[in-house]
Amino acid sequence: MLKGQLKPPRPPGNPGEFDYPAYLANRDIYYTLTVKQDHDLKLISRESGVLKIIDSFRAKGEKLIQQTLPPHEAAILSGMLLGTREGINEEQYSDFQKTGIVHLFSVSGLHVGFLLLLITWITSLLNMRDRSRFITGVAVLLVYGTMVAWPECVIRAVLMGILGLLAYYSGRENSMMNALAISGLVIILINPNSLFNISFQLTMLATWGLVYLFPLMRKKLPWHGKVWDLILLPISAELAVLPLIAYYFNIITPVSIITNVLVSYLSGAVVILGFVALFLAVFVPVLAAVILYPAGMMVEIIIYIVKITIQIPGGFIWVATPPVILIALYYAGLQLGIYTLGKTELRRWSAPAFILMGAFFVAIFIPGSFYHKGYLEASFIDVGQGDAILLKTPQGKFILVDGGGSQFYDAGSRTILPYLHRRGIRELCMLINTHPDNDHLGGLQTVAAEMGAEYMGLPGNVYNCPEYKTLKDIAAQQNIKLMPLLAGQTINIEEGLEIKVLHPGKEVIDPDNFNNDSVVLRMRYGDFSLLLTGDIGKEAMEAIMKRYALDRTTVVKIPHHGSKTSLLAAFYQATQAHYGIISVGSNNLFGHPHPGVLDMLNKAQIKTLRTDQLGAITVMSNGRNLRINAMRD
């Protein structure tokens, strides 16, 4: 029994962000329930029958793995056997993704294939009849699928496994392509929305690469042998899924050819040993624990291979999100190219095939700086209750002002880096932190560590505060040049773009509150101007007005998420802004933006745009005209 608040899930706030409502809708879920108190959650009944037995079986196996192996080995082994991510270090998971072997944590055909191999070997040792071997194999596959909750990739693999067993023990030809088609059709009949799920698309295409592309390439290419087959297998799978990986994850991993060759047998051994241990954990836990030790050693070897291969230059490349039409052209070119392999009479079609595939690669490798030349762009990224503003200069240099931050999640890895990758942004000219509060600083540290930058600007009057130690250490590791920023300075990025620092002064306004020491930047490009204000309050606003005569401003970022501390009518009257942008989290605990601030902005005829309502907001100007786009408008 549940008692809580029922709400529709929040739509994505930034372009390319994971669409959680669509993900849930594909599973016929349209509302989420928030439970605030423990007593609002009551267990009415437990699982019974076969499900209870299978759940107990899994629980005992997981417990033994956790008790026997070190935490990092246990987490990775559980991920490889059961598809869980609990306990896997985020950085380590990212390294597996960058080296192209993150599929080890997705229970799929690899796992089912090794499980079938194990069951076939055991039943042959027991000298069982074909019918008994078939029934045993099917039963084990069904139990395993139930144990991992039947994701689409497991349904596909189990169905293909059952069809393969049926063909083998009945003496018929095993057509892998037919089995793939039948399994895909069954999944869609069970849930038509599966067609739009990432896991379904990837498992179908990866398997297509292995059962269709691999045999064709193996037959038509002049090289033969087991070593060549070992290399050709990951190439076939990579060619099949590459466009979808680029589309959904904005990465391609050439090094995956090497890593998959190196870990293929290791991962197979780990999975087989893990399956044996899972079975024995219920009956002979001591023996199961003994078997887990070599599995853990092999996990360590896999981790070591990842650490080495991730350092290979060009091993992974972040790419822009490709248009769907170019994905279609890629597959058309791939099919045409494979069809013409080894056929001299069709050689003339090789060039069109390469052109079609080449158009896809050109699109994903075009840098983000190529687009919108001559426009100054400011993108207020939706990071919830925090600030993160990406600036693009007219000549295509990128500056990130603040990076959001939260105690509940890393805004840098979850929001900002995916946003940058989607746009094909692979380098930053400058990072600026307005002040060292976590909702502005946290995500910036992640971005600095992952992407680096040429320069980093910090408020000069609190430059030596201890909160900056981690960021400064990252800057030293990444060879980022540090710049203390104080009022009166000009940041010279390129000709025609003026960036002035209006705040802070040399003196600290409030030693116990960094807000009033925020860096305030004024940008001017032609007739367009932008004022970025950090989290300053009335004291800082008054100091800026005493120091400068504020000119008319096109767009102003409302300070401190529209809190009451930013309520100073004279400041906004001086700017005569047309638009005010508030970066704020939905349903935040602070009551931001304050009704008094909204009322004051309305009276000043400043049109207010909010990230909690509109998602990411992008302002663009060529110095004469203004364009504003919002994620949800």
Side-chain angles (χ1 to χ4, degrees):
M1 184 177 71
L2 298 174
K3 182 181 179 182
Q5 192 173 15
L6 198 63
K7 289 184 177 180
R10 189 169 182 262
N14 302 289
E17 186 176 315
F18 177 65
D19 194 337
Y20 189 52
Y23 170 82
L24 292 179
N26 286 338
R27 286 155 174 77
D28 296 321
I29 300 171
Y30 302 97
Y31 293 91
T32 58
L33 186 72
T34 302
V35 178
K36 294 185 178 181
Q37 303 294 333
D38 291 343
H39 60 73
D40 290 330
L41 179 63
K42 295 181 181 179
L43 180 63
I44 296 176
S45 64
R46 297 180 181 275
E47 290 179 341
S48 59
V50 176
L51 290 179
K52 182 180 180 180
I53 296 172
I54 293 175
D55 186 60
S56 174
F57 191 85
R58 171 177 171 145
K60 288 181 180 179
E62 283 185 299
K63 184 178 180 180
L64 184 66
I65 291 172
Q66 292 165 3
Q67 291 175 339
T68 306
L69 299 178
H72 68 286
E73 290 181 7
I76 290 177
L77 182 57
S78 294
M80 292 177 68
L81 290 176
L82 304 171
T84 63
R85 280 190 58 184
E86 295 177 13
I88 299 176
N89 181 275
E90 287 287 344
E91 184 177 350
Q92 200 165 57
Y93 186 88
S94 177
D95 289 346
F96 273 71
Q97 182 186 41
K98 292 173 182 176
T99 51
I101 57 172
V102 74
H103 61 83
L104 294 180
F105 301 132
S106 175
V107 178
S108 60
L110 173 75
H111 305 71
V112 172
F114 285 124
L115 181 57
L116 274 176
L117 183 66
L118 176 64
I119 295 303
T120 302
W121 177 68
I122 292 174
T123 53
S124 65
L125 283 179
L126 297 174
N127 202 25
M128 296 172 65
R129 295 181 178 181
D130 286 353
R131 182 177 179 182
S132 298
R133 294 171 71 179
F134 172 74
I135 293 173
T136 302
V138 171
V140 170
L141 291 183
L142 293 177
V143 169
Y144 181 59
T146 304
M147 190 183 296
V148 296
W150 292 108
E152 284 95 343
C153 49
V154 171
I155 298 175
R156 190 274 309 159
V158 167
L159 285 172
M160 290 187 69
I162 291 173
L163 290 172
L165 288 174
L166 184 62
Y168 179 75
Y169 291 120
S170 64
R172 298 187 179 185
E173 181 184 356
N174 183 15
S175 173
M176 299 293 285
M177 280 299 296
N178 286 342
L180 177 62
I182 291 170
S183 63
L185 182 61
V186 169
I187 293 171
I188 293 173
L189 288 174
I190 294 172
N191 180 13
N193 288 326
S194 295
L195 190 62
F196 306 101
N197 289 342
I198 300 173
S199 60
F200 174 78
Q201 295 170 9
L202 288 178
T203 191
M204 295 300 291
L205 280 172
T207 309
W208 174 76
L210 295 174
V211 304
Y212 177 74
L213 291 183
F214 171 69
L216 276 178
M217 295 172 69
R218 187 187 189 203
K219 179 180 178 181
K220 295 184 178 182
L221 290 173
W223 306 283
H224 301 283
K226 291 184 178 179
V227 174
W228 177 244
D229 286 350
L230 194 61
I231 297 172
L232 198 57
L233 273 168
I235 290 177
S236 302
E238 185 75 13
L239 286 173
V241 301
L242 188 147
L244 286 193
I245 297 296
Y247 183 81
Y248 287 117
F249 305 108
N250 297 109
I251 192 172
I252 59 172
T253 54
V255 75
S256 65
I257 307 301
I258 299 173
T259 51
N260 276 287
V261 168
L262 294 176
V263 308
S264 57
Y265 288 117
L266 278 171
S267 61
V270 169
V271 169
I272 289 175
L273 289 172
F275 282 140
V276 173
L278 278 178
F279 175 77
L280 293 177
V282 179
F283 307 103
V284 194
V286 175
L287 181 58
V290 172
I291 291 174
L292 285 173
Y293 285 116
M297 181 187 69
M298 293 177 189
V299 167
E300 290 289 355
I301 297 173
I302 292 174
I303 293 173
Y304 180 75
I305 290 172
V306 170
K307 287 181 179 178
I308 297 299
T309 53
I310 200 172
Q311 299 176 31
I312 297 175
F316 68 93
I317 306 168
W318 296 111
V319 296
T321 302
V324 174
I325 182 63
L326 288 182
I327 294 177
L329 291 178
Y330 169 92
Y331 284 115
L334 176 63
Q335 184 67 56
L336 183 60
I338 294 295
Y339 182 70
T340 59
L341 267 181
K343 296 181 179 180
T344 307
E345 68 277 11
L346 297 176
R347 188 173 296 172
R348 66 183 184 277
W349 292 104
S350 298
F354 281 112
I355 291 173
L356 290 174
M357 296 179 69
F360 169 82
F361 286 105
V362 168
I364 64 175
F365 283 117
I366 293 177
S369 57
F370 176 81
Y371 299 97
H372 307 301
K373 288 281 188 177
Y375 280 82
L376 174 65
E377 178 184 327
S379 296
F380 296 81
I381 304 171
D382 180 11
V383 289
Q385 187 68 11
D387 275 12
I389 305 159
L390 180 69
L391 305 172
K392 185 193 75 68
T393 71
Q395 295 305 311
K397 296 177 181 178
F398 290 96
I399 304 169
L400 181 63
V401 180
D402 290 332
S406 168
Q407 59 180 325
F408 303 109
Y409 72 100
D410 180 8
S413 61
R414 297 279 187 91
T415 303
I416 299 173
L417 285 172
Y419 178 82
L420 298 177
H421 294 153
R422 177 191 173 275
R423 294 185 53 174
I425 299 171
R426 289 182 280 273
E427 59 182 23
L428 296 170
C429 174
M430 191 172 188
L431 297 168
I432 296 175
N433 176 243
T434 58
H435 63 293
D437 283 351
N438 185 54
D439 60 334
H440 295 248
L441 176 62
L444 202 67
Q445 295 174 161
T446 303
V447 175
E450 179 71 30
M451 292 190 66
E454 191 173 353
Y455 300 98
M456 181 184 293
L458 305 175
N461 62 341
V462 296
Y463 180 79
N464 293 316
C465 72
E467 285 80 1
Y468 279 137
K469 183 183 185 307
T470 301
L471 189 61
K472 287 181 177 178
D473 290 344
I474 293 171
Q477 294 168 6
Q478 298 283 4
N479 296 317
I480 303 173
K481 300 172 186 175
L482 293 172
M483 296 174 53
L485 300 177
L486 290 170
Q489 292 177 327
T490 299
I491 301 175
N492 296 310
I493 296 292
E494 62 188 42
E495 188 176 349
L497 175 63
E498 178 186 88
I499 306 177
K500 286 187 176 181
V501 182
L502 305 187
H503 194 70
K506 294 181 180 179
E507 300 299 324
V508 176
I509 293 179
D510 185 354
D512 299 322
N513 189 339
F514 292 119
N515 288 343
N516 271 315
D517 296 301
S518 297
V519 171
V520 176
L521 300 173
R522 180 182 176 84
M523 306 182 70
R524 181 176 292 280
Y525 178 53
D527 295 331
F528 172 80
S529 54
L530 172 67
L531 186 62
L532 302 179
T533 57
D535 274 0
I536 60 171
K538 296 176 184 177
E539 297 87 345
M541 291 176 167
E542 290 169 348
I544 292 171
M545 293 173 67
K546 289 178 182 178
R547 197 179 293 128
Y548 301 100
L550 292 177
D551 297 328
R552 176 176 298 199
T553 303
T554 314
V555 177
V556 61
K557 189 199 84 73
I558 307 303
H560 200 195
H561 323 292
S563 76
K564 190 176 181 179
T565 61
S566 64
L567 205 166
L568 185 63
F571 182 82
Y572 300 102
Q573 289 170 0
T575 64
Q576 301 181 54
H578 295 291
Y579 293 92
I581 296 180
I582 303 177
S583 185
V584 63
S586 61
N587 302 315
N588 64 85
L589 300 176
F590 309 99
H592 296 162
H594 191 275
V597 173
L598 296 176
D599 185 59
M600 181 268 297
L601 293 172
N602 184 51
K603 290 178 180 177
Q605 296 184 335
I606 298 175
K607 183 173 178 57
T608 306
L609 307 174
R610 298 165 45 175
T611 57
D612 62 330
Q613 296 176 343
L614 299 175
I617 299 167
T618 299
V619 179
M620 296 177 60
S621 176
N622 59 2
R624 299 180 302 277
N625 303 317
L626 177 67
R627 185 196 312 171
I628 300 179
N629 298 320
M631 175 65 183
R632 302 195 194 111
D633 184 9

